[in-house]
Amino acid sequence: MTDFRRRIPRTDTALADPRLMAAGVRLGHGAVKAAVVAAQERARRGEIAPEDVIEAAVGALPAVGLRPVINATGVIVHTNLGRAPLSADAVSAMVEAAGYTDVELDLKDGRRARRGRTAMAALAAAVPGAGGVHVVNNGAAALVLAATALAQGREIVVSRGEMVEIGDGFRLPDLLVSTGARLREVGTTNRTTVADYANAVGPETGFVLKVHPSNFVVQGFTSSVPVDDLSGLGVPVVADIGSGLLAPHPALPDEPDAASALAAGATLVTASGDKLLGGPQAGLLLGGAAIVERLRRHPLARALRVDKLTLAALEATLRGPDVPVLTALAADPEALRDRAETLAAALRTDGIDAHAAATEAVVGGGGAPGHTLPSWAVSLPERYARRLRLGDPAVLGRVERGRLLLDLRCVPAARDLELRKACTS
Ligand SMILES: *Cc1c(COP(=O)(O)O)cnc(C)c1O
């Protein structure tokens, strides 16, 4: 036997790799063994090095199910990673609600009750200024419901500076027009005044829409009109605040929130549940009791109805504590620095070229555009990026100037050890 053949790992050695063992549970042991045998064959034919057999087998496994990921990107609300990770309480609430549950029943008298009423009560309690609340599938659905119920066949007045694309090619103007409403664009990309709105408002107006321009900022010679000034126009004002802060947050002074928008006179506020609120994918509608009831009774509301698991997770998130998005937002940079230095030192004793590096984290998901949060990362050679991404759990960092940065802001401190293991396994 030639020397390189002897260096090909035996099948049982390969199958003892933790990633392949975990994959066996998910995919069945037969499929994992087949991937190992195929990788050994490739090594025998000289297509890959014997040392790469296990890596090749891991890489060749078919993708099944959603894989858990440690988010070391420094982007708190990362849409490609499922946005907000749920709190432990929200996860248990979902598990409990997974069986039969009283989602639409009052157990006291055995009669039908409003769907998700305890979650609605928690939302109403979190925003006392809202006379009515309703929850649909996501933020886009909340806007569609508002546009359909309040402006179908009529006009939505919106600033040209707020006609945004929210990602993956979805554009809010197209979404609104798909409901049968007409858009009445006012102002220019950089400047819109209250007079622009006033000139456009008339008998055809369904509502004036104020959109949080997520993902970008307009700088320089700009002006936009706050909700306060729009509320004097005599027509309903819908504020799409986007990221779902219910009240002002000290770390994000420029980010709009539901309570302030309602206090400024918004008739209706729409927001996402899985951005800065830190809960499950959901669309929140908050506003006057009568208008919210009208939306809730609209036939389309049934098609946008939210699932019982979502209601359970949303309520647990609203009742807190320990919501991971808020923990990441509030993380103390000095504590992150200590963790990064400790982890980097441990990795150096493992023989890895690692050091702590100051970084800038962001909110992401369209929240707080242009705002950065001081953070700390462990910096590693770039070649670790692929193997960490293919690990179990996968670890996703970001690559900058030939180095892989593992930003610790969104990594719970209890998982630092897993990061070290992932680098050394
Ligand atoms: C994210 C966002 C939406 C869409 O909300 P989803 O929950 O993703 O459907 C709409 N408007 C704004 C301003 C947003 O930031």
Side-chain angles (χ1 to χ4, degrees):
M1 209 170 14
T2 55
D3 176 53
F4 88 90
R5 288 201 170 203
R6 224 172 290 131
R7 299 203 321 268
I8 296 174
R10 290 160 44 107
T11 308
D12 44 358
T13 310
L15 289 175
D17 179 273
R19 293 167 296 174
L20 292 176
M21 285 205 314
V25 177
R26 226 167 38 233
L27 303 170
H29 295 281
V32 176
K33 193 168 168 186
V36 169
V37 171
Q40 289 168 326
E41 284 300 325
R42 291 183 60 201
R44 281 192 200 102
R45 290 197 300 266
E47 293 170 20
I48 57 173
E51 293 71 29
D52 293 340
V53 162
I54 294 178
E55 219 43 58
V58 170
L61 292 171
V64 173
L66 298 174
R67 308 256 315 267
V69 176
I70 294 182
N71 176 10
T73 61
V75 180
I76 300 178
V77 178
H78 198 303
T79 298
N80 302 149
L81 297 181
R83 291 192 180 161
L86 295 178
S87 67
D89 285 353
V91 172
S92 344
M94 282 180 98
V95 170
E96 291 214 325
Y100 291 123
T101 182
D102 65 345
V103 65
E104 267 183 47
L105 188 85
D106 186 340
L107 290 170
K108 280 203 292 298
D109 58 14
R111 284 176 210 273
R112 181 182 190 129
R114 179 174 173 192
R115 184 179 177 82
R117 63 209 171 283
T118 54
M120 302 301 161
L123 183 55
V127 189
V133 299
H134 185 53
V135 179
V136 291
N137 252 320
N138 56 21
L143 264 183
V144 163
L145 182 56
T148 308
L150 309 176
Q152 196 166 52
R154 306 175 66 202
E155 288 180 354
I156 298 173
V157 180
V158 61
S159 162
R160 290 193 172 90
E162 296 173 9
M163 311 268 283
V164 298
E165 178 173 312
I166 51 179
D168 200 23
F170 287 102
R171 296 177 165 175
L172 283 190
D174 298 347
L175 191 76
L176 294 168
V177 166
S178 77
T179 68
R182 295 189 303 278
L183 287 192
R184 179 76 183 265
E185 302 167 27
V186 299
T188 61
T189 306
N190 57 329
R191 288 178 70 82
T192 304
T193 64
V194 72
D196 294 325
Y197 287 97
N199 289 337
V201 163
E204 283 298 292
T205 306
F207 57 83
V208 169
L209 177 64
K210 177 82 191 162
V211 183
H212 177 43
S214 7
N215 301 332
F216 77 104
V217 278
V218 185
Q219 278 178 327
F221 184 54
T222 66
S223 87
S224 63
V225 182
V227 172
D228 307 63
D229 295 341
L230 297 176
S231 63
L233 293 170
V235 291
V237 177
V238 176
D240 175 19
I241 62 167
S243 73
L245 276 189
L246 298 183
H249 193 289
L252 304 172
D254 297 328
E255 186 67 5
D257 67 276
S260 304
L262 290 169
T267 321
L268 189 71
V269 171
T270 67
S272 288
D274 55 357
K275 296 181 181 173
L276 286 173
L277 183 66
Q281 178 185 304
L284 315 181
L285 290 149
L286 307 119
I291 203 163
V292 172
E293 188 59 13
R294 201 169 137 202
L295 299 183
R296 198 168 82 77
R297 302 312 313 177
H298 191 280
L300 184 61
R302 179 62 180 77
L304 309 176
R305 185 173 87 171
V306 71
D307 173 58
K308 65 178 176 178
L309 302 180
T310 303
L311 289 166
L314 179 65
E315 179 173 352
T317 303
L318 287 164
R319 296 194 193 284
D322 299 332
V323 173
V325 161
L326 300 180
T327 306
L329 199 56
D332 170 20
E334 280 311 305
L336 297 175
R337 177 186 193 152
D338 282 348
R339 286 171 55 199
E341 283 173 351
T342 306
L343 187 52
L347 289 169
R348 283 196 298 273
T349 67
D350 298 329
I352 297 174
D353 161 26
H355 62 262
T359 54
E360 288 186 332
V362 294
V363 167
H371 188 89
T372 58
L373 304 156
S375 192
W376 280 83
V378 175
S379 165
L380 301 165
E382 180 177 351
R383 64 191 151 81
Y384 283 90
R386 182 182 145 82
R387 86 136 71 151
L388 290 178
R389 219 170 52 234
L390 295 177
D392 204 353
V395 176
L396 197 72
R398 63 176 194 273
V399 171
E400 268 176 27
R401 283 176 267 124
R403 301 288 293 182
L404 172 67
L405 298 177
L406 300 180
D407 192 309
L408 298 182
R409 187 172 270 275
C410 316
V411 180
R415 303 196 76 174
D416 286 356
L417 202 59
E418 280 181 80
L419 288 186
R420 180 178 178 188
K421 271 203 208 124
C423 294
T424 50
S425 68

